[in-house]
Amino acid sequence: MAVLSVITMWFLLTGELLKILNKFYKRNEMQKIAADQGLDARLFHQAFISFRKYVLEISTLSADLHIILNDICCGAGHIDDLYPYFMRHAKQIFPMLDCMEDLRKISDLRVPANCFCGFISSMSKEDVKSKFLSPQGVPCDLVTGEERTFVDAEGGQAEHVACTIEMCSVTTPCQCLIQMIRDISRGWAWTRALLGLCAEEIHVCGEPAVINFVTELMYTTGEEVEVRNYKRLSPCSILDRAVESLDNLRPGDCVVCFSKNDIYSISRQIESRGLECAVIYGSLPPGTKLSQAKKFNDPEDPCKILVATDAIGMGLNLSIKRIIFNSLVKPNINVKGEKELNTISTSQALQIAGRAGRFSSIFKEGEVTTMHRDDLPILKEILSRTVHAIEIAGLQPTAEQIEMFAYHLPDATLSNLIDIFVSLSQVDGMYFVCNIDDFKFLADMIQHIPLNLRSRYVFCTAPINKKQPFVCTSFLKFARQFSRDEPLTFDWVCRLVSWPLVPPKNIKDLVHLEAVHDVLDLYLWLSYRFMDMFPDANHVREIQQELDSIIQLGVRNITRLIRATETSATPGIDPLSSQRRPGPSPVSPRRVRGAPKAQDSGVEAGQLDKSLGSRLVQEGLLTPDLLRQLQKEWSKEHRQEEVGVKLVVETLNNKMKGRKKK
């Protein structure tokens, strides 16, 4: 009886405590005071949930908190008396509350000295080589994230330097520097260059959408802005008819796709018609891209058709007569870091369409159209729009700022430090904090590896493709070897990538070779940051050039690789579908753009598998994985239905037997 009384009293007390705590949470005054201490609405809610759990579940409360709660229950205290104890608990969860004022000062990006920094993957080397490396007899050095090329064989610096926007120095004086800006997602990089370069004159090349913003930005620094407008030197027009069939392709055509799978499919269909085509997409090594571009541009080469992604939009000089959009839907990453499938923007469409009929090419006029009739009016509408004006520029935290945060929060991980910095950062209306999901992805990957903060930060700024498992695994091994203070030698790298490598036998092998090339790029990138730990950059660059040649051989024989992939694939399933990355894909009443038709692939209709599942896979409306999942679910439901039917039959039989006995 005594035990029952104690349990009943405990439940009553718990219910009373819950009411008191909920009243405290609902007090607007408490939330306002907490906000002044750095607890915004989100943090206040998280802290309260933890505090409530602590009060209700802990076996013994501290004496002072116990007395306060008892006084409130008895009506001798006020509910606001809980605030000091709530804040004491909140500071244990969020240590930054003790140094909030200092952290706010560090993360205030409105202060000019704090706004120059960031990280980005390096500009493709062929962009610089094809434009700046002594084409007019002017000595010019090349500096990228992975490469240093000097005109002077002994390493002496030339008077002119062409560098990626990541590598431009804000401390070295220069007379004139040329940078190109267009993509708002790279805002932090050109913000740093525009505001930080020691140049008497800076040429900013971009579309009219940035003029007003750059003028306003320069007004805040007291600089003069001169706007010069340049007109296109050769005409370019939108055709009134779509191509509709690959049989209608002509020399000088470029079919633009937005996925590697479409590249494979279209190139296979073109070569099945007895035509040669060049292939260019983003993950190809620079040397392979240049080789394919040279093949397409060569008037003596029988290759007269190009199949490419929007990688042709910048950095490559191509003799294209007609741009053909195979699709107008492209995967994009939004400001939250989420993948979306959207119609291409006006800026993207103009950049790609502008490749047709360039002034320096053999074609004096350019033409633009679509592969599918329904897409042509959409393309015309996109190209007729005015490009949205750019109104904000991106910023990123510096390594020094993160180190200052770490001083105040020594137990926080690098990923948490970045999160706290972004949540506390203050920017005015002209700036925004760039997306840092890729940085956090790498930070979380190597969090368990013992590295000092500065080295960890540098590793996390490395330009890698996180969608490639082999690249991510190699990155992890690089960091682990580095943490042991063991140099990453040439022999170690060769063992890692299984060098020497052989030419690819199918598309899967080609994709792997591209990933290996990215790993070697990563080594070279790190070798310029940690020269003593990555000592064999020259040897690695040599095998990277050999690997580039192997990949070029694979791309030249890409149709054979596709055919080999199809031969080894499961019958009735589109082998290229297995190359697609998981995720949603645009579905329309007609087939997905780039999916091969029966007549295009040269396969007779009678030879195709007539099952509905196979047709949906071949038309690109289903992936093989999704088809197998549907088959499993159908089989499971079918078995359950069979069991149910058997039970019903047995029940009916039993009833019939009972009636006969009666």
Side-chain angles (χ1 to χ4, degrees):
M1 203 63 179
V3 173
L4 182 60
S5 300
V6 171
I7 293 174
T8 305
M9 290 179 63
W10 183 82
F11 273 114
L12 289 173
L13 182 59
T14 301
E16 192 65 29
L17 284 176
L18 193 57
K19 290 180 182 178
I20 292 171
L21 293 172
N22 287 339
K23 286 181 181 178
F24 172 81
Y25 177 74
K26 294 177 181 178
R27 292 269 295 166
N28 292 331
E29 292 81 0
M30 295 298 97
Q31 295 189 24
K32 290 178 181 178
I33 297 173
D36 294 337
Q37 298 294 319
L39 279 178
D40 58 20
R42 180 177 62 87
L43 296 180
F44 181 83
H45 176 74
Q46 293 178 2
F48 172 75
I49 296 296
S50 178
F51 180 65
R52 183 178 65 187
K53 183 177 180 181
Y54 166 76
V55 171
L56 296 179
E57 296 183 5
I58 194 169
S59 55
T60 9
L61 281 172
S62 59
D64 52 353
L65 179 56
H66 188 280
I67 293 170
I68 290 295
L69 289 170
N70 186 63
D71 288 346
I72 297 173
C73 287
C74 297
H78 194 275
I79 199 169
D80 292 353
D81 296 339
L82 282 174
Y83 179 76
Y85 303 94
F86 167 76
M87 284 303 299
R88 183 174 68 185
H89 182 82
K91 289 178 180 179
Q92 293 175 355
I93 306 172
F94 304 113
M96 70 275 196
L97 297 176
D98 279 329
C99 50
M100 186 61 69
E101 198 58 38
D102 291 332
L103 297 181
R104 279 177 173 161
K105 290 179 180 178
I106 296 170
S107 59
D108 189 352
L109 298 180
R110 296 170 299 180
V111 181
N114 288 342
C115 67
F116 307 134
C117 178
F119 36 85
I120 195 169
S121 60
S122 297
M123 174 182 170
S124 54
K125 290 179 280 189
E126 69 271 19
D127 296 354
V128 185
K129 287 180 177 178
S130 62
K131 293 180 180 179
F132 297 116
L133 280 185
S134 308
Q136 308 299 330
V138 179
C140 181
D141 295 336
L142 166 67
V143 178
T144 73
E146 302 85 11
E147 184 177 356
R148 308 287 192 278
T149 301
F150 299 101
V151 177
D152 186 353
E154 298 180 358
Q157 291 188 353
E159 293 185 3
H160 300 275
V161 178
C163 64
T164 62
I165 198 165
E166 177 200 23
M167 301 304 298
C168 61
S169 171
V170 293
T171 59
T172 304
C174 52
Q175 293 297 319
C176 175
L177 187 137
I178 301 175
Q179 289 290 341
M180 183 170 65
I181 58 174
R182 185 183 67 87
D183 190 349
I184 189 63
S185 65
R186 300 176 63 176
W188 69 264
W190 64 262
T191 302
R192 171 182 177 270
L194 198 58
L195 298 179
L197 285 168
C198 299
E200 293 182 6
E201 184 175 310
I202 299 177
H203 292 226
V204 181
C205 306
E207 58 195 6
V210 303
I211 292 176
N212 292 338
F213 176 72
V214 171
T215 302
E216 184 179 358
L217 191 63
M218 292 296 96
Y219 176 78
T220 62
T221 62
E223 304 289 345
E224 295 181 5
V225 177
E226 178 184 350
V227 179
R228 296 184 182 180
N229 293 302
Y230 298 91
K231 292 184 178 181
R232 182 183 169 95
L233 297 177
S234 59
C236 184
S237 58
I238 307 175
L239 301 180
D240 293 326
R241 293 187 60 184
V243 176
E244 297 192 32
S245 172
L246 296 177
D247 293 324
N248 298 326
L249 293 179
R250 304 193 300 256
D253 280 350
C254 173
V255 182
V256 177
C257 309
F258 293 112
S259 76
K260 195 186 293 186
N261 186 68
D262 287 347
I263 291 280
Y264 298 151
S265 176
I266 295 294
S267 60
R268 167 69 190 276
Q269 294 174 53
I270 290 173
E271 297 207 0
S272 69
R273 289 165 165 78
L275 303 173
E276 286 193 35
C277 67
V279 174
I280 296 176
Y281 51 86
S283 59
L284 285 177
T288 305
K289 291 179 187 175
L290 287 174
S291 173
Q292 291 290 297
K294 183 179 179 181
K295 177 182 178 182
F296 175 71
N297 289 338
D298 187 357
E300 304 298 326
D301 197 290
C303 173
K304 300 300 179 186
I305 296 172
L306 175 65
V307 183
T309 63
D310 53 343
I312 63 165
M314 296 178 66
L316 289 172
N317 293 318
L318 297 162
S319 293
I320 298 172
K321 169 64 175 178
R322 182 172 61 169
I323 288 286
I324 303 167
F325 285 89
N326 185 60
S327 170
L328 298 177
V329 176
K330 179 185 177 183
N332 292 308
I333 304 298
N334 62 20
V335 291
K336 296 180 181 179
E338 301 167 340
K339 185 177 180 180
E340 294 179 341
L341 289 167
N342 297 319
T343 304
I344 59 174
S345 66
T346 301
S347 182
Q348 292 169 334
L350 287 170
Q351 186 70 28
I352 298 169
R355 296 288 108 184
R358 301 281 288 189
F359 180 71
S360 58
S361 71
I362 61 174
F363 300 106
K364 303 306 178 185
E365 294 184 13
E367 298 173 346
V368 182
T369 186
T370 60
M371 179 64 69
H372 305 279
R373 187 186 308 170
D374 295 346
D375 285 340
L376 188 55
I378 300 174
L379 177 63
K380 289 183 177 181
E381 194 271 330
I382 291 172
L383 292 174
S384 65
R385 297 178 199 156
T386 302
V387 179
H388 294 297
I390 294 176
E391 299 176 346
I392 51 177
L395 301 173
Q396 286 282 22
T398 67
E400 290 76 14
Q401 289 169 323
I402 298 302
E403 284 178 337
M404 293 172 71
F405 258 54
Y407 173 79
H408 294 284
L409 304 170
D411 297 326
T413 65
L414 178 56
S415 182
N416 288 340
L417 290 172
I418 290 288
D419 276 336
I420 295 170
F421 184 96
V422 172
S423 65
L424 295 179
S425 61
Q426 302 176 68
V427 294
D428 61 27
M430 298 180 67
Y431 302 97
F432 71 97
V433 179
C434 291
N435 185 282
I436 39 79
D437 285 348
D438 287 348
F439 183 93
K440 288 175 57 183
F441 174 84
L442 298 181
D444 291 335
M445 187 190 300
I446 62 173
Q447 180 54 43
H448 65 286
I449 298 177
L451 295 170
N452 63 63
L453 184 63
R454 179 58 72 110
S455 297
R456 190 182 300 277
Y457 181 94
V458 172
F459 264 85
C460 292
T461 61
I464 76 168
N465 182 2
K466 66 179 184 182
K467 296 176 183 176
Q468 286 280 6
F470 181 72
V471 178
C472 292
T473 302
S474 302
F475 172 79
L476 195 60
K477 291 180 179 179
F478 279 9
R480 189 176 290 119
Q481 182 82 350
F482 182 92
S483 70
R484 300 188 188 118
D485 204 24
E486 298 177 4
L488 287 81
T489 62
F490 175 70
D491 292 336
W492 186 91
V493 173
C494 288
R495 289 194 300 272
L496 175 67
V497 301
S498 302
W499 185 264
L501 296 166
V502 297
K505 298 178 181 178
N506 50 45
I507 292 297
K508 184 178 179 181
D509 291 347
L510 179 61
V511 172
H512 176 69
L513 293 180
E514 292 168 5
V516 173
H517 192 280
D518 288 345
V519 170
L520 300 182
D521 252 351
L522 174 62
Y523 183 97
L524 296 174
W525 190 91
L526 289 168
S527 70
Y528 288 109
R529 278 81 182 165
F530 307 104
M531 294 184 181
D532 55 334
M533 296 299 292
F534 296 83
D536 295 331
N538 291 332
H539 294 307
V540 170
R541 188 174 290 106
E542 288 174 4
I543 67 169
Q544 189 186 43
Q545 292 172 353
E546 292 181 37
L547 177 59
D548 200 332
S549 300
I550 295 173
I551 294 175
Q552 288 181 39
L553 180 63
V555 173
R556 283 198 296 269
N557 299 315
I558 195 165
T559 301
R560 181 178 58 80
L561 301 186
I562 297 171
R563 197 179 300 117
T565 304
E566 291 174 345
T567 303
S568 61
T570 305
I573 294 179
D574 181 5
L576 297 179
S577 299
S578 62
Q579 300 291 335
R580 295 189 181 102
R581 291 188 292 270
S585 60
V587 178
S588 61
R590 65 175 185 271
R591 66 187 179 89
V592 176
R593 300 286 187 257
K597 296 179 181 177
Q599 63 268 28
D600 287 347
S601 59
V603 180
E604 295 296 330
Q607 295 177 306
L608 291 175
D609 190 342
K610 295 298 184 181
S611 69
L612 176 62
S614 297
R615 290 206 310 272
L616 290 175
V617 170
Q618 289 167 355
E619 291 173 5
L621 300 177
L622 272 181
T623 64
D625 291 338
L626 185 56
L627 178 60
R628 284 191 288 271
Q629 184 180 347
L630 289 172
Q631 289 171 342
K632 288 180 182 178
E633 292 179 359
W634 183 86
S635 299
K636 183 178 179 182
E637 292 176 0
H638 186 62
R639 287 194 297 269
Q640 290 174 349
E641 288 175 1
E642 287 180 347
V643 172
V645 170
K646 288 179 181 178
L647 290 175
V648 171
V649 171
E650 289 176 1
T651 304
L652 291 173
N653 288 337
N654 291 335
K655 287 183 178 181
M656 292 298 293
K657 289 178 182 178
R659 287 176 183 174
K660 287 179 180 180
K661 289 180 180 179
K662 288 180 181 180

